[in-house]
């Protein structure tokens, strides 16, 4: 299937790979960025057929631009959502634009007559707040926003997806709505303006993470997340669907082991020591980053992607490749001085 598809957040990490894949398959893409002065730089990075790609200025917090960007589209992929490098003092800095941006995109899609709407959510909306121990999750699970200790990012993804699903059930009409829920997204890096999802590798490689707290993430490749979006845009019967996109759960020490094994001397700053839980809790009293991880100490979250594999034929690549490709690009681009 081809046609005209809307992709929000066109300068984003996943969106860049998605736009490339869609245009390679013959789609025409209409995308949004907050500042059109960056359009030239984004086009240069994407290196696609410019006649197949149009950009429009739109912001998650404002109505302007969404209807214009969505006009003429039969399909939509909403990827734009705030992903900070740090922890904001006010959770609403993330929650409000994530929720309201999703609703703006949905309203514009309904007005434009969009048939299929794929929203990028996160395993943050599925698998957090359970505490220490080994946990298993499927698409039927939800993070409870009332649990204490959840970060603003986790809250923003959970609340935004809930709000979007509620709106579709109430006002969506004939729109087929589904979500993609990725874990930690790694993989190739195109520019020095890199995604916050790569910060954990950056900190390991440059030595700013001197030791490893007992936390971890499911890992998934950015190319495979984009591919899953393409599949969800094309496949029949997607109304109400939810797809976890995650490889195996890896503790930070496991990721560090991959870096040292594959990068050799370039990984000489990657930490080898762990951080005792008591020290993380002590640091959390005055350090917002430490405070953000306290609730996940000792937690192992197995996030099952078998639904995406069975329904959409999704086949992700080995996560070790994603880790190494990301690390090598961070070094190649001079983001990390190895």
């Amino acid at each position: 299937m081809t046609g005209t598809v809307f992709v929000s957040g066109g300068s984003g990490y996943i969106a860049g790979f998605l736009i490339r894949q869609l245009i390679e398959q013959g789609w025409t893409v209409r995308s949004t960025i907050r500042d059109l002065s960056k359009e030239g730089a984004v086009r240069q990075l994407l290196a696609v057929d410019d006649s197949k790609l149009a950009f429009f200025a739109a912001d998650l917090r404002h109505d302007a631009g969404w209807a214009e960007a969505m006009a003429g589209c039969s399909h939509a992929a909403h990827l734009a959502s705030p992903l900070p490098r740090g922890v904001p003092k006010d959770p609403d800095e993330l929650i409000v634009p994530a929720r309201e941006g999703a609703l703006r995109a949905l309203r514009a899609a309904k007005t434009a007559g969009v048939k299929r709407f794929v929203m990028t959510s996160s395993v943050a909306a599925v698998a957090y707040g359970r505490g220490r121990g080994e946990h298993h999750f499927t698409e039927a699970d939800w993070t409870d926003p009332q649990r204490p200790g959840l970060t603003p990012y986790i809250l923003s993804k959970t609340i935004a997806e809930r709000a979007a699903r509620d709106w579709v059930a109430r006002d969506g009409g004939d729109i087929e709505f589904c979500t993609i829920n990725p874990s930690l997204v790694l993989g190739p890096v195109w520019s020095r303006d890199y995604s916050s999802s790569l910060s954990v590798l950056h900190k390991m490689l440059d030595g700013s993470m001197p030791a490893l707290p007992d936390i971890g993430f499911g890992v998934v490749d950015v190319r495979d997340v984009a591919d899953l979006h393409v599949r969800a845009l094309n496949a029949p019967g997607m109304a109400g669907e939810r797809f976890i996109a995650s490889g195996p759960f890896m503790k930070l020490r496991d990721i560090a082991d991959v870096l040292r094994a594959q990068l050799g001397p370039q990984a000489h700053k990657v930490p080898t020591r762990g951080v005792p839980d008591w020290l993380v809790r002590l640091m959390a009293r005055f350090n917002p980053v430490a405070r953000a991880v306290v609730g996940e100490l000792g937690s192992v979250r197995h996030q099952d992607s078998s639904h995406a594999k069975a329904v959409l034929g999704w086949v992700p690549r080995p996560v070790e490749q994603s880790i190494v490709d990301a690390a090598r690009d961070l070094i190649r681009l001079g983001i990390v001085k190895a």
Side-chain angles (χ1 to χ4, degrees):
M1 179 187 297
T2 58
T4 303
V5 57
F6 168 85
V7 178
S8 68
S11 61
Y13 188 37
I14 301 170
F17 285 88
L18 175 58
I19 289 170
R20 270 191 177 179
Q21 291 185 23
L22 288 168
I23 290 177
E24 285 172 1
Q25 291 191 8
W27 290 84
T28 296
V29 178
R30 295 166 69 86
S31 187
T32 61
I33 50 178
R34 283 181 294 177
D35 183 356
L36 283 179
S37 69
K38 297 181 179 179
E39 178 181 348
V42 175
R43 285 186 181 276
Q44 186 174 4
L45 286 172
L46 292 174
V48 296
D49 180 353
D50 282 340
S51 70
K52 293 285 190 176
L53 177 61
F55 281 106
F56 302 83
D59 187 282
L60 294 170
R61 293 179 178 270
H62 304 287
D63 291 336
W66 289 94
E68 182 185 6
M70 203 85 70
C73 294
S74 59
H75 293 64
H78 178 56
L79 285 78
S81 190
L83 180 59
R85 296 200 191 279
V87 181
K89 292 182 179 179
D90 182 356
D92 279 346
E93 290 181 28
L94 299 185
I95 293 170
V96 172
R99 180 187 62 223
E100 298 307 313
L103 297 178
R104 283 189 171 88
L106 281 165
R107 288 193 294 265
K110 183 178 180 181
T111 300
V114 166
K115 301 172 184 176
R116 173 72 53 79
F117 190 105
V118 179
M119 175 176 166
T120 312
S121 184
S122 169
V123 295
V126 175
Y128 279 76
R130 305 310 200 276
R132 183 176 297 277
E134 192 162 353
H135 310 281
H136 295 263
F137 299 95
T138 70
E139 287 83 0
D141 294 299
W142 281 87
T143 297
D144 181 357
Q146 300 304 315
R147 287 181 181 265
L150 297 178
T151 66
Y153 175 74
I154 293 170
L155 290 170
S156 75
K157 300 305 288 190
T158 305
I159 291 169
E161 186 183 346
R162 283 286 199 192
R165 289 184 177 275
D166 288 346
W167 184 92
V168 171
R170 185 183 63 247
D171 299 317
D174 295 331
I175 291 178
E176 282 190 282
F177 174 90
C178 69
T179 60
I180 308 295
N181 296 66
S183 54
L184 180 67
V185 180
L186 303 177
V189 185
W190 289 348
S191 79
R192 292 178 61 86
D193 183 18
Y194 66 97
S195 168
S196 297
S197 66
L198 297 155
S199 294
V200 64
L201 293 187
H202 187 185
K203 291 177 179 178
M204 285 187 184
L205 290 165
D206 72 3
S208 60
M209 184 188 293
L212 303 165
D214 185 21
I215 62 169
F217 307 92
V219 175
V220 67
D221 195 283
V222 64
R223 294 162 289 194
D224 297 328
V225 177
D227 171 66
L228 189 53
H229 281 75
V230 174
R231 291 170 185 268
L233 285 165
N234 280 306
M238 289 291 100
E241 281 282 14
R242 198 180 193 212
F243 297 101
I244 289 175
S246 180
F249 183 86
M250 302 181 76
K251 289 292 184 78
L252 293 186
R253 63 175 176 268
D254 301 322
I255 297 174
D257 288 345
V258 171
L259 292 172
R260 284 192 298 272
Q262 297 295 323
L263 297 182
Q266 290 183 313
H268 70 281
K269 294 180 182 178
V270 173
T272 58
R273 297 180 295 112
V275 183
D277 290 355
W278 67 264
L279 182 55
V280 177
R281 293 191 182 96
L282 178 63
M283 294 170 61
R285 296 179 182 179
F286 54 86
N287 184 313
V289 176
R291 195 177 309 126
V293 305
V294 164
E296 297 305 317
L297 288 170
S299 179
V300 176
R301 300 180 305 278
H302 299 292
Q303 294 136 174
D304 185 359
S305 292
S306 60
H307 186 57
K309 296 171 184 176
V311 174
L312 295 176
W314 185 60
V315 182
R317 69 202 69 207
V319 294
E320 293 80 6
Q321 179 184 346
S322 310
I323 293 167
V324 173
D325 287 351
R328 286 181 172 152
D329 279 347
L330 290 172
I331 294 168
R332 175 183 60 83
L333 292 166
I335 297 168
V336 171
K337 309 297 182 184

